[in-house]
Amino acid sequence: MRLSITQSTKYWLSEHPSIVNFRWSPTESWGSTWSFLFSAIAIYIIAAAILHLMVSLTLRNNRRVPLGPIPAIHSLAMAMASVVIFVGILLSTAAEIRDTRWFWRRTKTTTAFQWLLCFPLGTRPSGRVFFWSYIFYLSRFLHLLRTFFTVLEHRKLTFFTLFNKSILLFMSFLWLEFSQSFQILAILSTTLLYSVVYGYRFWTAIGLPSACFPFVVSCQVVLLGCNLVCHFGVLALHLLKGGGCNGIGAWGLNSMLNAVILLLFLKFYLKMYLSKRKGDSSSEFKGSSRYSHSGLEKRDSKAS
């Protein structure tokens, strides 16, 4: 029975003909054109700005729009989707390594880890790995909905939120369009983090206790830091390996955008930490504490 479940999982997540024969193409893949990408980002930014303006004009300062179980359902859906993508690309990566290892000698790729960091020149956006990269790209659109929940529930809309989510969608498109190196590790780490973060958000949304520190922001800073370190590995392989890595131009742009997002996160994290220290000092002077778990959770929601 266990073997049957394992075989069925492998088939549906890595051996199904739709996965094996996938090809990123404007004629075969929804949302695979530059015009669609920029239109989607523009619509997202304009819709979020209009919603924030409407909420600010129609509701009093202390009123919010109750959404009921919708944010919890969204968090659960994102957590489940992230788990499926993580398992799918993990199984697909193992299958691709098994099927293409014989070809690595021609591209001077000696280990699976090198292949994960550095695709050989001429790599096409087709096959198992790029199918899950495409599913990950589509999941970014579901991720955008959280901005609207934040506007309705917390009446907050920041430049960083719009910039961060727009750039993440843009980078996911670049991975497919240019068969960019390093994307497998990036998707694995991101979906692993998302499964934890959105699971935590679902946990708190149904009324269970939250962490005593900014859990979401801390996870995002760790992810960005790890990705930035791995980017140095890609650069080293590109310079040392004969022929270089595929999609290195898109990788360079991706690296700069990751660095910008990391700096913005660190700035927010430092500002939040200093604000908490200042609040703690004020609380000690007055003999009471002003910060609770719910307050920290609100800061997490603002960062997202």
Side-chain angles (χ1 to χ4, degrees), residues 187-301:
I187 294 173
L188 284 172
S189 59
T190 302
T191 51
L192 179 62
L193 175 107
Y194 276 13
S195 63
V196 174
V197 166
Y198 278 99
Y200 169 77
R201 283 173 171 162
F202 174 74
W203 174 277
T204 57
I206 61 177
L208 295 174
S210 59
C212 59
F213 64 97
F215 180 82
V216 175
V217 177
S218 300
C219 288
Q220 290 170 328
V221 170
V222 170
L223 173 66
L224 288 169
C226 291
N227 282 346
L228 201 59
V229 171
C230 289
H231 276 295
F232 287 104
V234 177
L235 180 61
L237 285 175
H238 178 71
L239 296 176
L240 299 176
K241 178 182 171 184
C245 301
N246 199 69
I248 197 65
W251 168 86
L253 178 59
N254 195 333
S255 299
M256 289 189 293
L257 293 174
N258 268 323
V260 171
I261 294 174
L262 178 59
L263 289 175
L264 290 174
F265 257 118
L266 289 175
K267 180 181 178 181
F268 174 85
Y269 196 85
L270 181 62
K271 181 180 179 181
M272 183 176 57
Y273 176 77
L274 293 176
S275 176
K276 183 178 183 299
R277 288 290 299 272
K278 183 179 179 180
D280 288 342
S281 299
S282 177
S283 298
E284 289 177 4
F285 178 75
K286 294 183 178 181
S288 62
S289 175
R290 295 183 180 179
Y291 289 87
S292 64
H293 292 182
S294 60
L296 292 171
E297 179 61 22
K298 290 177 181 178
R299 289 188 175 88
D300 273 348
S301 65

Side-chain angles (χ1 to χ4, degrees), residues 81-94:
S82 298
V83 170
V84 171
I85 296 172
F86 177 84
V87 175
I89 197 169
L90 189 65
L91 294 175
S92 296
T93 299

